[in-house]
Amino acid sequence: MQGGSIMELPVLEIKNVHKKYLSHSVLEGVGFSIPRGKIVGLLGPNGCGKTTILKLISGLLQLDEGEIRINGICPGQQTKSMISYLPDRMYFADWMRVKDMVKLFDDFYQDFRKETAIGMLNQLGIRLDDRMKTLSKGTKEKVQLVLVMSRQAKLYILDEPIGGVDPAARDFILQTILSNYSEDASVLISTHLISDVEKVLDEVIFLKEGCMVRQDSVDHIRETEGKSVDQLFRTIFAYHESDFQPDLNEENVR
């Protein structure tokens, strides 16, 4: 770590990151930073590299070129305790009960707030004795998000956190995100539901074909463009509904 205290460093800094899968280039020179206390949207069509970036930050993938720093530290064992990651897919066993998931997080993460998680689950009407296999896809995603947001992490990485939940639950989930991170932590949200998430975002990052095309504050976009983030996104990317349908092929959502 070079220069300054931890609090002076960005929570996340990415410089000239490149990533290929075999001969296919997924990221080409991506670079951006995220300050503390911000909720940032990572936005782009399917296949633009959003999930790949999140996996690189989380240490689940190795970059080919460039640099990633979390609190000034490269992704690795030391940064795992700083990051709370919500993947775009379920990762728990169907035989588990909700209380088993809570215990797993409580045992595994020192920063997990068990009572906070139980309180949010109760608000959602999810019972601790419910078995995961009996829950709907949307309810499973709620459980997973509650557990992730109940940690006291420095960086929350959320890959499509509201993609599978009904519209009535989205406001609760967004409020959960807003109320469960501190001023020295930040949230990076990858989503295609821009109009739903826009109201909680401080900044946005637009990705296109593996390249970053813009990073800006939501307020600045509204002031200078006279548009919402959703409207600007549709303009830049010539929005088509088919671009944002959930894709079951992992290769296409990277």
Side-chain angles (χ1 to χ4, degrees), residues 11 20 66 71 82 108 127 139-140 146 218 229 235 237 248:
V11 170
K20 287 184 177 181
N71 276 342
M82 303 176 188
F108 199 77
R127 296 172 299 185
T139 302
K140 290 177 182 178
V146 163
V218 171
V229 173
T235 300
F237 292 93
L248 297 180

Side-chain angles (χ1 to χ4, degrees), residues 27-230:
L27 299 174
E28 299 182 7
V30 173
F32 60 84
S33 66
I34 295 179
R36 298 177 188 280
K38 300 292 184 181
I39 300 179
V40 180
L42 184 63
L43 313 177
N46 283 345
C48 71
K50 300 191 299 296
T51 294
T52 294
I53 287 178
L54 301 188
K55 288 182 177 179
L56 288 168
I57 297 167
S58 302
L60 299 176
L61 291 174
Q62 296 295 316
L63 52 78
D64 297 328
E65 183 181 337
E67 184 178 32
I68 296 176
R69 300 269 181 176
I70 300 98
N71 276 342
I73 302 170
C74 294
Q77 193 61 39
Q78 194 173 353
T79 62
K80 290 187 183 301
S81 63
M82 303 176 188
I83 296 172
S84 192
Y85 174 49
L86 177 76
D88 61 340
R89 300 192 178 200
M90 304 295 169
Y91 57 82
F92 41 72
D94 277 347
W95 60 263
M96 299 180 79
R97 298 182 186 274
V98 174
K99 63 183 178 183
D100 297 324
M101 294 295 299
V102 172
K103 185 177 187 305
L104 178 67
F105 268 66
D106 194 34
D107 290 344
F108 199 77
Y109 298 109
Q110 290 185 346
D111 62 359
F112 182 69
R113 297 168 294 175
K114 182 178 178 180
E115 296 307 316
T116 297
I118 292 173
M120 287 192 286
L121 291 168
N122 287 337
Q123 283 184 277
L124 287 167
I126 300 172
R127 296 172 299 185
L128 292 175
D129 284 331
D130 287 343
R131 201 175 292 277
M132 299 306 297
K133 67 180 180 181
T134 67
L135 303 179
S136 68
K137 181 177 183 292
T139 302
K140 290 177 182 178
E141 292 187 358
K142 292 174 192 174
V143 172
Q144 196 165 254
L145 178 64
V146 163
L147 295 173
V148 166
M149 293 307 301
S150 293
R151 289 183 55 200
Q152 291 181 301
K154 298 303 181 187
L155 178 62
Y156 299 88
I157 301 176
L158 312 177
D159 200 350
E160 297 291 351
I162 62 173
V165 302
D166 57 273
R170 287 176 187 169
D171 284 343
F172 177 87
I173 288 173
L174 293 176
Q175 186 57 42
T176 297
I177 294 169
L178 276 173
S179 60
N180 284 280
Y181 80 104
S182 63
E183 63 182 15
D184 67 334
S186 289
V187 183
L188 181 60
I189 303 176
S190 169
T191 185
H192 67 277
L193 297 171
I194 300 170
S195 61
D196 291 275
V197 173
E198 179 174 347
K199 57 190 171 185
V200 305
L201 299 179
D202 297 304
E203 297 183 7
V204 292
I205 297 165
F206 290 160
L207 290 181
K208 185 176 183 179
E209 296 176 355
C211 300
M212 193 188 82
V213 296
R214 183 166 181 172
Q215 179 176 9
D216 208 342
S217 74
V218 171
D219 288 342
H220 187 254
I221 287 173
R222 290 170 181 159
E223 291 170 4
T224 59
E225 303 287 347
K227 298 177 179 179
S228 68
V229 173
D230 187 44

